[in-house]
């Protein structure tokens, strides 16, 4: 079947079987045939629909574009050559090909390598070698080597008393001077495992916490210190640890040892559990606040991405966020790169969105508001790194200190910023009257109608400085929108994220009454749903939520089972 598919597709990368032993020693079974069929019959932009029609963890995990987030923010040199060890079904191979001059991908399984081949069939800068890396006599060296979910299996695929160290030493001989090794692996003591999630490789809860004494599989992960020691003992002089969240498989935000999370929000990361949540005994998200406050996040992070090198030039990027749950034309990444912040399109169709973001900032500045300015450099929107706290952080500090009058003053300041952000238009031009929502026109109900509504005027998107508020990340605008709708979005975002910290002191309802939002709240809910449909990929969002759990009763039920 595979041979027929391959013969029908041109051009193809080089597919090399010289070191294939005729046995696929690593496989997830027949589901891989389904995935290969999806890859062969669909372009990448249609994978999400195909996943929905075949929804299971393997199909989702191997085909979702979120997988690329583990490295699509990394500053690969465009003229570099990469060795991707364990390319699997090609989840990140295409992305690597688009970032570098040449990629050599190695995969043990011919069936999995075939999936990667079909997935990357448009790439002419790719060699796929089927075989065990330890058996392949390479004739060249590489600028980068990636080990994404590979190191933990070397107890089965590398001989010797210390297969993990032996494997890393072998890899080091394949790097050019100044080259970098990138290792992604679960943390043996990741928080999700303490909460009862099944160990990713054995499927057994608490397996790593029990030092892999339950399963007979030759697989293991490491703590941060153990992994760092293993890498250094294998010959690398410098390491830099990144912390992809919720883990390296499906990351939406990447922290680092130089940019750790400062609060439990972590940009609203959403943990997921496979194959189910039936073994959970605690709610992961409820624990991060104490973990961060006690400065032990690095020990409990669910997984690591480690940059390894012989020179100290590691960790040039300190932080990244990846808006990949959106429709392709709106997917953007943000990375803190040295003293600058760079925004760029994840998908080529999103470059126009970067231009629109810069235009929005310019228009907002023309209205007399402070803006933390960006500039266009090539395909990047670049701004200087800001050391001021966000307005959200300032507001949270006021809640923590109980400064009610100052909290009201902050919300009043936001309302004034919104009113000053745009000229107004006649009330009859209200955007709500254009959707056929059976809303009765009312001159007083919705208040001023802004010609341009900057719907990202939320506390998280502003810096708090002595000379005023500086706005950033103003991605989205709506024309002829009520100023109250912009205020509504700021309240929803803040209280949905910080309800526990804020509601006891000052309820959202009090602020809703203060700004006369009650009568139009339901209408704004509808408008917000319509707006979300323009931005978010609903299929991809539904698939991800299928593997999430927000039911806090599950741990309680499981504990009761344990107690009998």
């Amino acid at each position: 079947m595979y041979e027929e598919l391959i013969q029908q597709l041109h051009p193809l990368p080089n597919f090399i079987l010289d070191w294939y032993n005729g046995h696929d020693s690593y496989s997830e079974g027949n589901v891989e045939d389904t995935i290969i069929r999806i890859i062969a019959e669909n372009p990448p932009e249609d994978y999400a629909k195909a996943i929905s029609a075949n929804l299971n963890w393997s199909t989702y995990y191997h085909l979702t574009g979120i997988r690329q987030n583990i490295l699509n923010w990394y500053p690969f040199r465009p003229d570099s050559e990469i060795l991707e060890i364990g390319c699997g079904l090609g989840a990140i191979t295409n992305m690597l090909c688009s970032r570098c001059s040449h990629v050599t991908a190695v995969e043990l399984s011919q069936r999995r390598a075939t999936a990667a081949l079909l997935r990357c069939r448009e790439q002419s800068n790719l060699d796929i070698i089927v075989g065990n890396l330890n058996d392949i006599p390479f004739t060249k060296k590489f600028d980068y080597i990636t080990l994404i979910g590979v190191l933990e299996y070397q107890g089965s695929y590398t001989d010797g008393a210390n297969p993990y160290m032996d494997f890393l030493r072998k890899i080091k001989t394949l790097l050019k001077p100044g080259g970098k090794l990138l290792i992604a692996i679960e943390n043996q003591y990741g928080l999700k495992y303490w909460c009862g999630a099944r160990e990713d490789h054995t499927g057994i809860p608490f397996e790593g916490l029990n030092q892999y004494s339950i399963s007979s599989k030759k697989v293991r992960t490491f703590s941060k210190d153990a992994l760092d020691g293993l890498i250094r003992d294998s010959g690398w002089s410098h390491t830099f640890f990144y912390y992809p969240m919720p883990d390296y498989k499906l990351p939406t935000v990447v922290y680092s040892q130089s940019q750790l999370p400062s609060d439990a929000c972590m940009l609203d990361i959403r943990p997921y559990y496979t194959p189910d949540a039936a073994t959970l005994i605690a709610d992961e998200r409820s624990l991060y606040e104490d973990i961060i406050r006690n400065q032990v996040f690095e020990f409990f992070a669910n997984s690591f991405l480690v940059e390894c090198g012989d020179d100290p030039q590691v960790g040039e990027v300190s932080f990244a966020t990846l808006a990949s749950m959106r429709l392709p034309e709106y997917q953007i990444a943000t990375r803190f790169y040295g003293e600058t912040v760079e925004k760029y399109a994840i998908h080529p169709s999103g470059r126009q969105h970067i231009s629109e973001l810069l235009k929005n900032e310019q228009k907002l500045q023309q209205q007399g508001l402070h803006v933390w300015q960006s500039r266009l450099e090539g395909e990047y929107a670049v701004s200087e790194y800001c050391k001021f706290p966000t307005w959200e952080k300032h507001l949270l500090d006021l809640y923590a200190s109980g400064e009610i009058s100052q909290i009201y003053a902050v919300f009043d300041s936001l309302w004034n910023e919104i009113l000053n952000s745009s000229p107004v238009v006649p009330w009859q031009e209200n955007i709500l009257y254009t959707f056929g929502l059976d809303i009765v026109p009312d001159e007083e109900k919705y208040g001023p109608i802004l010609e341009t509504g900057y719907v990202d005027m939320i506390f998280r998107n502003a810096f708090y400085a002595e000379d005023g508020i500086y706005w950033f990340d103003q991605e989205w605008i709506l024309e002829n929108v009520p100023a109250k709708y912009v205020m509504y979005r700021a309240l929803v975002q803040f209280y949905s994220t910080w309800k526990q910290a804020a509601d006891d002191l000052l309820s959202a309802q009090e602020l809703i009454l203060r700004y006369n939002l009650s009568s139009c709240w339901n209408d704004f809910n509808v408008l917000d749903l319509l707006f979300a449909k323009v931005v978010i990929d609903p299929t991809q969002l539904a698939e991800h939520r299928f593997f999430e759990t927000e039911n806090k009763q599950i741990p309680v039920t499981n504990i009761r089972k344990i107690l009998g």
Side-chain angles (χ1 to χ4, degrees):
M1 178 181 69
Y2 307 141
E3 289 75 11
E4 293 178 0
L5 289 172
I6 291 171
Q7 289 171 6
Q8 294 171 14
L9 300 168
H10 297 282
L12 284 174
N14 292 322
F15 196 58
I16 303 167
L17 294 166
D18 296 358
W19 294 278
Y20 177 52
N21 64 10
H23 176 62
D24 285 2
S25 56
Y26 185 91
S27 172
E28 292 181 39
N30 293 334
V31 69
E32 292 181 356
D33 291 330
T34 300
I35 296 172
I36 290 174
R37 177 181 54 78
I38 292 172
I39 291 171
E41 295 176 355
N42 296 275
E45 57 266 26
D46 290 341
Y47 285 174
K49 294 178 182 177
I51 292 169
S52 289
N54 301 270
L55 189 55
N56 57 66
W57 172 246
S58 291
T59 304
Y60 177 68
Y61 169 67
H62 288 295
L63 292 180
T64 177
I66 302 174
R67 288 282 306 282
Q68 298 182 9
N69 287 353
I70 186 59
L71 286 177
N72 64 6
W73 53 269
Y74 185 83
F76 293 108
R77 295 199 320 273
D79 61 346
S80 62
E81 293 188 287
I82 292 182
L83 173 61
E84 182 190 11
I85 301 175
C87 69
L89 282 74
I92 69 169
T93 310
N94 252 329
M95 182 273 296
L96 295 176
C97 289
S98 70
R99 298 295 178 88
C100 304
S101 65
H102 192 273
V103 175
T104 300
V106 177
E107 172 55 44
L108 281 165
S109 159
Q110 182 179 7
R111 179 160 64 172
R112 293 163 73 87
T114 299
L117 174 68
L118 295 171
R119 196 168 188 170
C120 302
R121 53 186 175 258
E122 302 300 325
Q123 303 292 354
S124 60
N125 61 337
L126 172 63
D127 293 336
I128 299 177
I129 304 175
V130 184
N132 188 323
L133 178 94
N134 295 309
D135 300 330
I136 302 169
F138 289 95
T139 58
K140 66 177 180 179
K141 297 190 177 186
F142 301 89
D143 299 286
Y144 302 98
I145 297 177
T146 66
L147 284 181
I148 311 301
V150 172
L151 179 61
E152 57 266 39
Y153 291 103
Q154 293 316 302
S156 298
Y157 300 110
T158 299
D159 296 329
N162 195 332
Y164 307 99
M165 184 179 296
D166 292 343
F167 187 64
L168 290 176
R169 285 176 173 171
K170 160 76 173 179
I171 289 170
K172 196 169 191 303
T173 67
L174 302 177
L175 272 176
K176 296 178 183 178
K180 299 292 190 296
L181 169 65
L182 299 164
I183 303 173
I185 188 172
E186 290 83 359
N187 177 6
Q188 181 179 356
Y189 300 113
L191 181 60
K192 67 179 183 180
Y193 296 140
W194 294 95
C195 292
R198 300 174 191 269
E199 207 279 345
D200 288 73
H201 311 92
T202 68
I204 300 174
F206 308 109
E207 174 77 289
L209 307 188
N210 284 293
Q211 309 305 312
Y212 293 94
S213 60
I214 305 171
S215 170
S216 61
K217 292 185 177 180
K218 293 182 178 181
V219 61
R220 70 154 303 160
T221 57
F222 307 90
S223 69
K224 183 198 172 195
D225 283 350
L227 181 59
D228 189 54
L230 173 64
I231 293 167
R232 291 177 182 272
D233 288 346
S234 300
W236 273 272
S237 304
H238 299 277
T239 60
F240 188 87
F241 274 73
Y242 291 98
Y243 305 101
M245 292 296 294
D247 67 9
Y248 85 82
K249 293 184 178 72
L250 302 175
T252 56
V253 58
V254 181
Y255 291 95
S256 77
Q257 64 185 59
S258 64
Q259 184 80 32
L260 295 170
S262 59
D263 57 57
C265 165
M266 288 188 286
L267 301 186
D268 304 317
I269 62 103
R270 306 183 71 92
Y272 64 93
Y273 301 97
T274 59
D276 54 51
T279 60
L280 293 182
I281 58 169
D283 175 35
E284 178 181 340
R285 283 196 289 185
S286 68
L287 302 177
Y288 280 115
E289 182 176 359
D290 280 341
I291 284 172
I292 292 168
R293 183 185 297 120
N294 285 280
Q295 300 180 28
V296 289
F297 173 80
E298 292 179 281
F299 179 80
F300 286 104
N302 282 331
S303 59
F304 310 120
L305 173 69
V306 193
E307 184 180 18
C308 318
D310 280 338
D311 61 63
Q313 195 173 355
V314 292
E316 292 181 298
V317 175
S318 60
F319 175 77
T321 63
L322 305 124
S324 53
M325 205 70 74
R326 301 174 179 177
L327 294 168
E329 59 267 35
Y330 302 124
Q331 292 180 6
I332 65 171
T334 303
R335 67 184 182 191
F336 291 10
Y337 193 5
E339 294 299 314
T340 63
V341 178
E342 299 178 340
K343 293 184 179 296
Y344 58 95
I346 294 175
H347 192 274
S349 63
R351 291 167 185 163
Q352 179 61 32
H353 188 58
I354 295 294
S355 299
E356 293 300 325
L357 184 153
L358 293 174
K359 290 178 183 177
N360 293 343
E361 291 182 350
Q362 293 167 1
K363 291 178 181 178
L364 201 57
Q365 191 172 30
Q366 289 169 3
Q367 283 297 118
L369 274 65
H370 293 310
V371 173
W372 196 259
Q373 288 185 307
S374 302
R375 60 188 182 277
L376 190 63
E377 293 185 2
E379 297 176 354
Y380 295 83
V382 180
S383 61
E384 301 306 315
Y385 176 78
C386 182
K387 295 182 180 179
F388 295 127
T390 64
W391 207 6
E392 182 177 74
K393 175 65 167 62
H394 172 67
L395 183 57
L396 285 169
D397 289 343
L398 295 178
Y399 275 91
S401 60
E403 302 285 351
I404 289 283
S405 61
Q406 293 187 46
I407 292 171
Y408 278 126
V410 168
F411 280 98
D412 288 344
S413 295
L414 173 62
W415 179 240
N416 288 329
E417 290 276 309
I418 293 170
L419 292 177
N420 292 326
S421 66
S422 168
V424 299
V425 297
W427 68 271
Q428 297 92 337
E429 296 183 25
N430 187 341
I431 190 174
L432 287 165
Y433 304 150
T434 66
F435 294 117
L437 300 177
D438 197 28
I439 293 175
V440 177
D442 188 322
E443 182 174 2
E444 303 297 329
K445 180 178 179 180
Y446 298 103
I449 308 301
L450 303 177
E451 181 180 72
T452 303
Y454 296 88
V455 296
D456 275 335
M457 292 183 75
I458 59 177
F459 293 108
R460 186 174 295 173
N461 288 349
F463 294 120
Y464 176 76
E466 291 183 0
D467 61 340
I469 300 303
Y470 285 80
W471 294 101
F472 65 94
D473 275 6
Q474 296 304 299
E475 288 189 61
W476 308 102
I477 60 172
L478 289 176
E479 294 180 356
N480 303 336
V481 69
K484 288 184 180 181
Y485 173 66
V486 182
M487 191 69 178
Y488 152 92
R489 281 181 55 87
L491 285 175
V492 168
Q493 184 276 323
F494 183 78
Y495 272 87
S496 63
T497 304
W498 301 111
K499 181 176 175 62
Q500 187 173 351
D503 225 17
D504 289 343
L505 183 65
L506 179 61
S507 72
Q509 187 60 38
E510 292 178 72
L511 292 167
I512 290 170
L513 294 174
R514 183 180 183 88
Y515 299 103
N516 298 314
L517 298 174
S518 298
S519 62
C520 44
W521 193 265
N522 289 337
D523 296 340
F524 291 163
N525 283 339
V526 173
L527 179 57
D528 217 39
L529 288 172
L530 292 172
F531 173 65
K533 288 180 179 179
V534 174
V535 177
I536 302 298
D537 183 339
T539 304
Q540 192 174 183
L541 180 62
E543 290 164 358
H544 195 275
R545 286 184 171 172
F546 181 82
F547 298 102
E548 294 174 9
T549 177
E550 294 190 29
N551 187 348
K552 295 187 178 182
Q553 189 60 35
I554 290 176
V556 176
T557 301
N558 290 338
I559 290 172
R560 286 174 177 165
K561 289 178 182 178
I562 294 171
L563 295 174

